[in-house]
Amino acid sequence: KARHRLREFDIGDRFSRLPLPRAAVLLPLMVRAGRLHLLLTVRSLQLRRSPGEVCFPGGKREDTDRDDIDTALREAKEEVGLQPEKVEVICRLMPGIDKMNNLVTPVVGFIEDTFQVTPNPDEVSEVFVVPLEYFVKPLNYKTFSYKTSSGYSTRIHCFMYHDQEHRKSFKIWGLTAHFAVFLALVIFGERPTFEVDYDLDNLFSSSENYFTNLYASVHERKKSNL
């Protein structure tokens, strides 16, 4: 059922011609005790950009990458030791734009719950999993409005997740939370316990409108800079 829903939201190469630098992240889904879970990482404190923040495996596209799927799989192998052939890639969802104005495409794939993580300490300090339904029915959630550098107003989701295995809480927010929420909305098809920036009865078209407005605001700023 999840595979079927996700394929309906696959964007393929729809935004491949946009003139922004490209990046991709892998949203690794696994089934544990009959429930879908999402694997997340914590960025190493040694990294210059966003040290200690929760994110998905991923990064900037390299010249050797054929597409966003290649980028996401290569980065996941480098960061957590996930072999590309161990990922059943399902789709690419609506992209986002990060603080550096990179176009970030989320690639969704299923992995086995027996996957043994081997984090690269230069890039990743911890790896943990969260039940996907937490991103529609959270126990600890807040939101705040955010205005991009180009003046576009958007909503930032912020989840605090207490992980029993690590006996600590993780803060999941920003673009990572944005992708996790959208993934959960697509798969479960139900209303979350908090407000979102989409028309849930027309999720695909409203998510495309959301991205188009965000991109237009970034592009206008780039033109005005020129």
Short mmCIF file of all heavy atoms in Angstrom, two decimals, residues 135-186:
data_model
loop_
_atom_site.label_atom_id
_atom_site.label_comp_id
_atom_site.label_asym_id
_atom_site.label_seq_id
_atom_site.Cartn_x
_atom_site.Cartn_y
_atom_site.Cartn_z
N PHE A 135 5.34 11.51 12.60
CA PHE A 135 5.34 12.75 11.83
C PHE A 135 3.93 13.19 11.40
O PHE A 135 3.79 14.19 10.67
CB PHE A 135 6.29 12.63 10.65
CG PHE A 135 7.71 12.44 11.08
CD1 PHE A 135 8.34 11.20 10.98
CD2 PHE A 135 8.42 13.49 11.65
CE1 PHE A 135 9.65 11.02 11.41
CE2 PHE A 135 9.72 13.32 12.09
CZ PHE A 135 10.33 12.08 11.96
N VAL A 136 2.91 12.47 11.85
CA VAL A 136 1.53 12.97 11.75
C VAL A 136 0.85 13.02 13.12
O VAL A 136 -0.11 13.74 13.32
CB VAL A 136 0.66 12.14 10.76
CG1 VAL A 136 1.02 12.48 9.33
CG2 VAL A 136 0.78 10.65 10.99
N LYS A 137 1.37 12.21 14.08
CA LYS A 137 0.80 12.19 15.44
C LYS A 137 1.93 12.28 16.46
O LYS A 137 2.20 11.33 17.19
CB LYS A 137 0.01 10.90 15.66
CG LYS A 137 -1.21 10.75 14.77
CD LYS A 137 -1.86 9.40 14.97
CE LYS A 137 -3.06 9.22 14.05
NZ LYS A 137 -3.61 7.86 14.14
N PRO A 138 2.59 13.43 16.53
CA PRO A 138 3.73 13.56 17.44
C PRO A 138 3.30 13.73 18.90
O PRO A 138 2.20 14.21 19.18
CB PRO A 138 4.43 14.81 16.93
CG PRO A 138 3.34 15.63 16.32
CD PRO A 138 2.36 14.65 15.74
N LEU A 139 4.20 13.37 19.81
CA LEU A 139 3.98 13.60 21.23
C LEU A 139 4.53 14.96 21.65
O LEU A 139 4.04 15.56 22.60
CB LEU A 139 4.66 12.49 22.05
CG LEU A 139 4.12 11.08 21.86
CD1 LEU A 139 4.97 10.08 22.64
CD2 LEU A 139 2.67 10.99 22.30
N ASN A 140 5.57 15.41 20.95
CA ASN A 140 6.21 16.67 21.32
C ASN A 140 6.51 17.45 20.04
O ASN A 140 7.43 17.10 19.29
CB ASN A 140 7.50 16.37 22.10
CG ASN A 140 8.09 17.61 22.75
OD1 ASN A 140 7.86 18.73 22.30
ND2 ASN A 140 8.86 17.41 23.80
N TYR A 141 5.70 18.48 19.79
CA TYR A 141 5.78 19.20 18.51
C TYR A 141 5.57 20.69 18.74
O TYR A 141 4.78 21.09 19.60
CB TYR A 141 4.70 18.67 17.57
CG TYR A 141 4.49 19.51 16.33
CD1 TYR A 141 5.28 19.32 15.20
CD2 TYR A 141 3.52 20.51 16.29
CE1 TYR A 141 5.10 20.11 14.06
CE2 TYR A 141 3.33 21.29 15.15
CZ TYR A 141 4.14 21.08 14.04
OH TYR A 141 3.98 21.86 12.91
N LYS A 142 6.26 21.48 17.95
CA LYS A 142 5.96 22.92 17.90
C LYS A 142 6.23 23.41 16.49
O LYS A 142 6.90 22.74 15.69
CB LYS A 142 6.77 23.70 18.93
CG LYS A 142 8.27 23.64 18.76
CD LYS A 142 8.97 24.41 19.88
CE LYS A 142 10.48 24.28 19.74
NZ LYS A 142 11.20 24.97 20.83
N THR A 143 5.70 24.58 16.20
CA THR A 143 5.92 25.14 14.87
C THR A 143 6.23 26.63 15.00
O THR A 143 5.85 27.26 15.99
CB THR A 143 4.68 24.95 13.97
OG1 THR A 143 4.95 25.43 12.65
CG2 THR A 143 3.48 25.71 14.52
N PHE A 144 6.98 27.14 14.05
CA PHE A 144 7.19 28.59 14.02
C PHE A 144 7.26 29.04 12.57
O PHE A 144 7.63 28.27 11.68
CB PHE A 144 8.43 29.02 14.81
CG PHE A 144 9.69 28.27 14.51
CD1 PHE A 144 10.60 28.76 13.61
CD2 PHE A 144 9.97 27.07 15.16
CE1 PHE A 144 11.78 28.08 13.33
CE2 PHE A 144 11.16 26.38 14.89
CZ PHE A 144 12.06 26.89 13.98
N SER A 145 6.84 30.27 12.33
CA SER A 145 6.87 30.79 10.97
C SER A 145 8.27 31.29 10.67
O SER A 145 8.99 31.74 11.56
CB SER A 145 5.84 31.90 10.78
OG SER A 145 6.05 32.91 11.72
N TYR A 146 8.63 31.20 9.41
CA TYR A 146 9.99 31.55 8.99
C TYR A 146 9.90 32.31 7.68
O TYR A 146 9.13 31.94 6.79
CB TYR A 146 10.79 30.27 8.82
CG TYR A 146 12.16 30.44 8.18
CD1 TYR A 146 13.22 30.99 8.89
CD2 TYR A 146 12.38 30.06 6.86
CE1 TYR A 146 14.47 31.15 8.32
CE2 TYR A 146 13.62 30.22 6.27
CZ TYR A 146 14.66 30.75 7.00
OH TYR A 146 15.89 30.91 6.42
N LYS A 147 10.64 33.37 7.59
CA LYS A 147 10.68 34.13 6.35
C LYS A 147 12.02 33.88 5.68
O LYS A 147 13.07 34.07 6.30
CB LYS A 147 10.49 35.63 6.64
CG LYS A 147 10.11 36.43 5.42
CD LYS A 147 9.57 37.80 5.79
CE LYS A 147 8.07 37.79 5.90
NZ LYS A 147 7.48 39.15 5.96
N THR A 148 12.00 33.40 4.44
CA THR A 148 13.24 33.13 3.72
C THR A 148 13.95 34.44 3.43
O THR A 148 13.38 35.52 3.55
CB THR A 148 12.96 32.39 2.40
OG1 THR A 148 12.25 33.28 1.52
CG2 THR A 148 12.15 31.12 2.61
N SER A 149 15.21 34.31 3.00
CA SER A 149 16.00 35.51 2.69
C SER A 149 15.36 36.33 1.58
O SER A 149 15.62 37.51 1.42
CB SER A 149 17.42 35.10 2.29
OG SER A 149 17.38 34.16 1.23
N SER A 150 14.48 35.67 0.81
CA SER A 150 13.81 36.39 -0.29
C SER A 150 12.45 36.95 0.14
O SER A 150 11.73 37.50 -0.67
CB SER A 150 13.63 35.44 -1.48
OG SER A 150 13.00 34.24 -1.05
N GLY A 151 12.10 36.74 1.43
CA GLY A 151 10.85 37.33 1.93
C GLY A 151 9.65 36.41 1.88
O GLY A 151 8.54 36.83 2.19
N TYR A 152 9.86 35.14 1.49
CA TYR A 152 8.74 34.20 1.39
C TYR A 152 8.48 33.58 2.77
O TYR A 152 9.40 33.07 3.41
CB TYR A 152 9.07 33.11 0.37
CG TYR A 152 7.99 32.08 0.18
CD1 TYR A 152 6.79 32.40 -0.44
CD2 TYR A 152 8.17 30.77 0.62
CE1 TYR A 152 5.80 31.46 -0.63
CE2 TYR A 152 7.19 29.81 0.44
CZ TYR A 152 6.00 30.16 -0.18
OH TYR A 152 5.02 29.22 -0.35
N SER A 153 7.22 33.63 3.22
CA SER A 153 6.88 33.09 4.54
C SER A 153 6.50 31.62 4.43
O SER A 153 5.73 31.23 3.55
CB SER A 153 5.71 33.87 5.15
OG SER A 153 6.12 35.16 5.49
N THR A 154 7.03 30.83 5.34
CA THR A 154 6.72 29.41 5.36
C THR A 154 6.64 28.93 6.81
O THR A 154 6.98 29.66 7.73
CB THR A 154 7.77 28.60 4.55
OG1 THR A 154 7.39 27.23 4.51
CG2 THR A 154 9.15 28.73 5.16
N ARG A 155 6.18 27.70 6.98
CA ARG A 155 6.02 27.13 8.31
C ARG A 155 7.14 26.13 8.58
O ARG A 155 7.44 25.29 7.74
CB ARG A 155 4.66 26.41 8.36
CG ARG A 155 4.19 25.98 9.73
CD ARG A 155 3.01 25.04 9.61
NE ARG A 155 1.96 25.52 8.73
CZ ARG A 155 0.88 26.17 9.12
NH1 ARG A 155 0.70 26.44 10.40
NH2 ARG A 155 -0.03 26.55 8.25
N ILE A 156 7.78 26.23 9.74
CA ILE A 156 8.83 25.29 10.12
C ILE A 156 8.28 24.32 11.15
O ILE A 156 7.76 24.73 12.18
CB ILE A 156 10.05 26.03 10.72
CG1 ILE A 156 10.65 27.03 9.73
CG2 ILE A 156 11.12 25.03 11.20
CD1 ILE A 156 11.45 26.43 8.62
N HIS A 157 8.37 23.02 10.84
CA HIS A 157 7.96 21.98 11.80
C HIS A 157 9.15 21.64 12.69
O HIS A 157 10.29 21.56 12.21
CB HIS A 157 7.52 20.71 11.08
CG HIS A 157 6.40 20.91 10.11
ND1 HIS A 157 5.12 21.23 10.50
CD2 HIS A 157 6.36 20.83 8.75
CE1 HIS A 157 4.34 21.34 9.45
NE2 HIS A 157 5.07 21.11 8.37
N CYS A 158 8.88 21.39 13.96
CA CYS A 158 9.94 21.00 14.89
C CYS A 158 9.42 19.89 15.81
O CYS A 158 8.46 20.10 16.56
CB CYS A 158 10.39 22.21 15.70
SG CYS A 158 11.73 21.82 16.85
N PHE A 159 10.03 18.71 15.72
CA PHE A 159 9.64 17.56 16.53
C PHE A 159 10.75 17.24 17.54
O PHE A 159 11.93 17.27 17.18
CB PHE A 159 9.46 16.31 15.65
CG PHE A 159 8.40 16.46 14.59
CD1 PHE A 159 8.70 17.04 13.36
CD2 PHE A 159 7.12 15.99 14.80
CE1 PHE A 159 7.73 17.17 12.37
CE2 PHE A 159 6.13 16.12 13.83
CZ PHE A 159 6.45 16.70 12.61
N MET A 160 10.36 16.94 18.76
CA MET A 160 11.30 16.35 19.72
C MET A 160 10.91 14.88 19.86
O MET A 160 9.77 14.57 20.20
CB MET A 160 11.22 17.04 21.07
CG MET A 160 11.82 18.44 21.08
SD MET A 160 13.58 18.53 20.64
CE MET A 160 14.32 17.66 22.01
N TYR A 161 11.84 14.00 19.54
CA TYR A 161 11.56 12.57 19.61
C TYR A 161 12.45 11.92 20.65
O TYR A 161 13.68 12.01 20.57
CB TYR A 161 11.77 11.90 18.25
CG TYR A 161 11.56 10.40 18.30
CD1 TYR A 161 10.29 9.87 18.48
CD2 TYR A 161 12.65 9.52 18.20
CE1 TYR A 161 10.10 8.50 18.57
CE2 TYR A 161 12.46 8.16 18.28
CZ TYR A 161 11.18 7.65 18.46
OH TYR A 161 11.00 6.29 18.55
N HIS A 162 11.83 11.26 21.64
CA HIS A 162 12.63 10.57 22.66
C HIS A 162 12.87 9.14 22.21
O HIS A 162 11.94 8.36 22.04
CB HIS A 162 11.94 10.59 24.02
CG HIS A 162 12.81 10.00 25.10
ND1 HIS A 162 13.94 10.66 25.58
CD2 HIS A 162 12.77 8.81 25.74
CE1 HIS A 162 14.52 9.90 26.49
NE2 HIS A 162 13.84 8.78 26.60
N ASP A 163 14.12 8.82 22.01
CA ASP A 163 14.51 7.49 21.53
C ASP A 163 14.89 6.60 22.72
O ASP A 163 15.83 6.92 23.45
CB ASP A 163 15.70 7.64 20.56
CG ASP A 163 16.12 6.31 19.96
OD1 ASP A 163 15.42 5.84 19.06
OD2 ASP A 163 17.14 5.76 20.41
N GLN A 164 14.13 5.52 22.89
CA GLN A 164 14.37 4.62 24.03
C GLN A 164 15.73 3.94 23.93
O GLN A 164 16.43 3.76 24.93
CB GLN A 164 13.26 3.56 24.10
CG GLN A 164 11.86 4.12 24.25
CD GLN A 164 11.59 4.68 25.64
OE1 GLN A 164 12.40 4.52 26.54
NE2 GLN A 164 10.46 5.36 25.81
N GLU A 165 16.08 3.56 22.70
CA GLU A 165 17.34 2.82 22.50
C GLU A 165 18.55 3.66 22.92
O GLU A 165 19.46 3.18 23.59
CB GLU A 165 17.46 2.40 21.03
CG GLU A 165 18.63 1.50 20.73
CD GLU A 165 18.72 1.18 19.23
OE1 GLU A 165 17.70 1.30 18.52
OE2 GLU A 165 19.83 0.82 18.79
N HIS A 166 18.56 4.93 22.52
CA HIS A 166 19.69 5.81 22.85
C HIS A 166 19.49 6.53 24.20
O HIS A 166 20.40 7.19 24.68
CB HIS A 166 19.89 6.86 21.75
CG HIS A 166 20.37 6.30 20.45
ND1 HIS A 166 19.53 5.71 19.54
CD2 HIS A 166 21.62 6.24 19.91
CE1 HIS A 166 20.23 5.32 18.48
NE2 HIS A 166 21.50 5.64 18.68
N ARG A 167 18.26 6.43 24.73
CA ARG A 167 17.91 7.12 25.98
C ARG A 167 18.21 8.62 25.91
O ARG A 167 18.80 9.20 26.81
CB ARG A 167 18.62 6.49 27.18
CG ARG A 167 18.16 5.07 27.43
CD ARG A 167 18.72 4.51 28.69
NE ARG A 167 18.22 3.16 28.93
CZ ARG A 167 18.55 2.42 29.97
NH1 ARG A 167 19.39 2.89 30.88
NH2 ARG A 167 18.06 1.21 30.12
N LYS A 168 17.81 9.19 24.79
CA LYS A 168 17.99 10.64 24.63
C LYS A 168 16.96 11.15 23.64
O LYS A 168 16.32 10.38 22.93
CB LYS A 168 19.41 10.96 24.17
CG LYS A 168 19.76 10.44 22.79
CD LYS A 168 21.21 10.68 22.44
CE LYS A 168 21.53 12.14 22.25
NZ LYS A 168 22.88 12.35 21.73
N SER A 169 16.82 12.46 23.61
CA SER A 169 15.85 13.09 22.70
C SER A 169 16.58 13.73 21.52
O SER A 169 17.68 14.26 21.67
CB SER A 169 15.03 14.14 23.44
OG SER A 169 14.20 13.52 24.40
N PHE A 170 15.94 13.64 20.37
CA PHE A 170 16.49 14.22 19.16
C PHE A 170 15.53 15.29 18.64
O PHE A 170 14.32 15.09 18.62
CB PHE A 170 16.66 13.15 18.07
CG PHE A 170 17.69 12.11 18.41
CD1 PHE A 170 17.30 10.87 18.91
CD2 PHE A 170 19.04 12.35 18.22
CE1 PHE A 170 18.24 9.90 19.22
CE2 PHE A 170 20.00 11.39 18.52
CZ PHE A 170 19.59 10.16 19.03
N LYS A 171 16.10 16.41 18.21
CA LYS A 171 15.31 17.50 17.62
C LYS A 171 15.34 17.35 16.10
O LYS A 171 16.42 17.38 15.50
CB LYS A 171 15.90 18.85 18.05
CG LYS A 171 15.18 20.06 17.47
CD LYS A 171 15.91 21.33 17.90
CE LYS A 171 15.28 22.56 17.28
NZ LYS A 171 16.03 23.79 17.62
N ILE A 172 14.17 17.18 15.52
CA ILE A 172 14.04 17.00 14.06
C ILE A 172 13.27 18.20 13.53
O ILE A 172 12.10 18.39 13.88
CB ILE A 172 13.30 15.69 13.74
CG1 ILE A 172 13.96 14.50 14.46
CG2 ILE A 172 13.27 15.45 12.23
CD1 ILE A 172 13.08 13.27 14.55
N TRP A 173 13.91 19.02 12.72
CA TRP A 173 13.24 20.23 12.27
C TRP A 173 13.72 20.64 10.88
O TRP A 173 14.54 19.96 10.26
CB TRP A 173 13.45 21.36 13.29
CG TRP A 173 14.85 21.89 13.34
CD1 TRP A 173 15.98 21.21 13.70
CD2 TRP A 173 15.27 23.22 12.99
NE1 TRP A 173 17.07 22.04 13.62
CE2 TRP A 173 16.67 23.28 13.19
CE3 TRP A 173 14.59 24.36 12.56
CZ2 TRP A 173 17.40 24.45 12.95
CZ3 TRP A 173 15.33 25.52 12.31
CH2 TRP A 173 16.71 25.55 12.51
N GLY A 174 13.21 21.78 10.41
CA GLY A 174 13.66 22.32 9.13
C GLY A 174 13.27 21.46 7.94
O GLY A 174 12.20 20.83 7.93
N LEU A 175 14.13 21.41 6.95
CA LEU A 175 13.85 20.68 5.72
C LEU A 175 13.70 19.18 5.97
O LEU A 175 12.89 18.50 5.34
CB LEU A 175 14.95 20.94 4.68
CG LEU A 175 14.64 20.57 3.22
CD1 LEU A 175 13.37 21.26 2.73
CD2 LEU A 175 15.82 20.91 2.32
N THR A 176 14.47 18.66 6.94
CA THR A 176 14.36 17.23 7.29
C THR A 176 12.95 16.92 7.78
O THR A 176 12.33 15.95 7.35
CB THR A 176 15.41 16.87 8.36
OG1 THR A 176 16.72 17.14 7.85
CG2 THR A 176 15.31 15.41 8.76
N ALA A 177 12.44 17.74 8.70
CA ALA A 177 11.08 17.55 9.20
C ALA A 177 10.05 17.74 8.09
O ALA A 177 9.06 17.01 8.00
CB ALA A 177 10.80 18.50 10.35
N HIS A 178 10.29 18.72 7.23
CA HIS A 178 9.40 18.99 6.09
C HIS A 178 9.24 17.75 5.22
O HIS A 178 8.12 17.35 4.87
CB HIS A 178 9.98 20.16 5.28
CG HIS A 178 9.26 20.45 4.01
ND1 HIS A 178 8.11 21.19 3.93
CD2 HIS A 178 9.54 20.06 2.73
CE1 HIS A 178 7.70 21.26 2.67
NE2 HIS A 178 8.56 20.59 1.92
N PHE A 179 10.36 17.11 4.89
CA PHE A 179 10.30 15.89 4.06
C PHE A 179 9.63 14.74 4.81
O PHE A 179 8.85 13.97 4.22
CB PHE A 179 11.71 15.47 3.63
CG PHE A 179 12.34 16.35 2.58
CD1 PHE A 179 13.72 16.52 2.53
CD2 PHE A 179 11.57 17.00 1.63
CE1 PHE A 179 14.32 17.31 1.55
CE2 PHE A 179 12.16 17.80 0.65
CZ PHE A 179 13.54 17.96 0.61
N ALA A 180 9.93 14.58 6.10
CA ALA A 180 9.35 13.49 6.88
C ALA A 180 7.83 13.64 6.99
O ALA A 180 7.09 12.65 6.86
CB ALA A 180 9.99 13.45 8.27
N VAL A 181 7.37 14.87 7.21
CA VAL A 181 5.93 15.13 7.29
C VAL A 181 5.25 14.80 5.97
O VAL A 181 4.22 14.12 5.93
CB VAL A 181 5.66 16.60 7.69
CG1 VAL A 181 4.19 16.97 7.48
CG2 VAL A 181 6.06 16.84 9.13
N PHE A 182 5.83 15.28 4.86
CA PHE A 182 5.22 15.03 3.56
C PHE A 182 5.17 13.53 3.25
O PHE A 182 4.16 13.03 2.75
CB PHE A 182 5.97 15.79 2.46
CG PHE A 182 5.28 15.74 1.13
CD1 PHE A 182 4.07 16.38 0.95
CD2 PHE A 182 5.82 15.03 0.06
CE1 PHE A 182 3.40 16.34 -0.27
CE2 PHE A 182 5.16 14.97 -1.15
CZ PHE A 182 3.95 15.63 -1.33
N LEU A 183 6.25 12.83 3.58
CA LEU A 183 6.29 11.38 3.37
C LEU A 183 5.16 10.70 4.15
O LEU A 183 4.45 9.83 3.61
CB LEU A 183 7.65 10.83 3.83
CG LEU A 183 7.86 9.32 3.73
CD1 LEU A 183 7.87 8.86 2.28
CD2 LEU A 183 9.17 8.92 4.41
N ALA A 184 4.98 11.08 5.40
CA ALA A 184 3.92 10.49 6.24
C ALA A 184 2.53 10.83 5.70
O ALA A 184 1.64 9.98 5.69
CB ALA A 184 4.08 10.97 7.67
N LEU A 185 2.35 12.07 5.23
CA LEU A 185 1.06 12.46 4.65
C LEU A 185 0.74 11.62 3.41
O LEU A 185 -0.40 11.18 3.23
CB LEU A 185 1.07 13.95 4.27
CG LEU A 185 1.12 14.96 5.42
CD1 LEU A 185 1.26 16.38 4.86
CD2 LEU A 185 -0.10 14.85 6.31
N VAL A 186 1.73 11.42 2.57
CA VAL A 186 1.54 10.63 1.35
C VAL A 186 1.15 9.19 1.70
O VAL A 186 0.19 8.64 1.17
CB VAL A 186 2.81 10.64 0.48
CG1 VAL A 186 2.74 9.58 -0.62
CG2 VAL A 186 3.04 12.02 -0.13
#
